[in-house]
Amino acid sequence: MAAYSASKLANAVFGAELARREQSSSAPITSVLAHPGYSNTPMQKKGSGVIGIAMRVSGKLFAQSPEMGALPQLFAATEPDLAGGSYVGPDGRGGRSGHPTLVQLSAAARDPELGRRLWERSQQLTGIRWHTATV
C-alpha cells in the first residue's frame, strides 16, 4: 500500500510540474489531473488471505462502480475550459465517490521544489528532455 500511495503522489507531483512548465511555455498542451475515487475494479478482487478478503468486501460495500470511477477522467479529458493544473475527482465524502468536480491537490503534490526534483530525476532515468515549444 505504501508503494501504491507513493506512486499516486508521484503522478500528481509530475502532473502539477507539467502544468507549471506548460504555463510558462507556448506549448499547445494542458496538463489536467484526475482521480477515480474508490472504484470497485478488478484490483479489489486480487490478493489472498485476510487482506484479499478485506479488499473484496470493502469494494462491494463502499466502492462506486467502475463506470462512475471513469467519469472524472472523462471530464478532465473533454472539458475544454479546465485550466492547466486543474484536478478532477468525485464530489462525494472524502472524494471516494460521486460525480466529477474540481478538487484540491495535496500540499505535497503542489510543492514546486518536489516537482522540479522529480522532473529532473525522470529526465535522468528516461533520457527524455523537456523542450520548450515555440509556436
Side-chain angles (χ1 to χ4, degrees):
M1 192 49 94
Y4 176 81
S5 296
S7 74
K8 297 299 109 186
L9 175 59
N11 286 340
V13 170
F14 197 89
E17 180 64 16
L18 177 57
R20 279 190 287 277
R21 288 170 184 264
E22 60 93 357
Q23 288 167 357
S24 67
S25 77
S26 57
I29 60 171
T30 303
S31 175
V32 177
L33 300 95
H35 78 89
Y38 184 34
S39 302
N40 193 16
T41 66
M43 190 167 80
Q44 277 71 36
K45 296 170 181 68
K46 304 275 185 209
S48 59
V50 175
I51 301 267
I53 292 168
M55 291 282 291
R56 287 187 287 281
V57 170
S58 176
K60 286 185 187 236
L61 293 177
F62 303 112
Q64 65 183 350
S65 71
E67 293 80 11
M68 286 297 292
L71 290 181
Q73 286 82 307
L74 292 171
F75 183 86
T78 60
E79 178 57 42
D81 296 328
L82 289 178
S86 295
Y87 187 37
V88 180
D91 64 358
R93 189 169 139 178
R96 289 185 299 270
S97 63
H99 291 90
T101 192
L102 291 176
V103 295
Q104 183 71 30
L105 276 169
S106 70
R110 294 188 318 264
D111 180 349
E113 177 58 19
L114 182 57
R116 183 192 64 73
R117 289 189 347 248
L118 177 61
W119 191 275
E120 288 177 1
R121 186 67 178 135
S122 298
Q123 288 185 137
Q124 290 171 351
L125 291 170
T126 65
I128 298 171
R129 314 269 327 142
W130 168 264
H131 297 287
T132 304
T134 53
V135 177

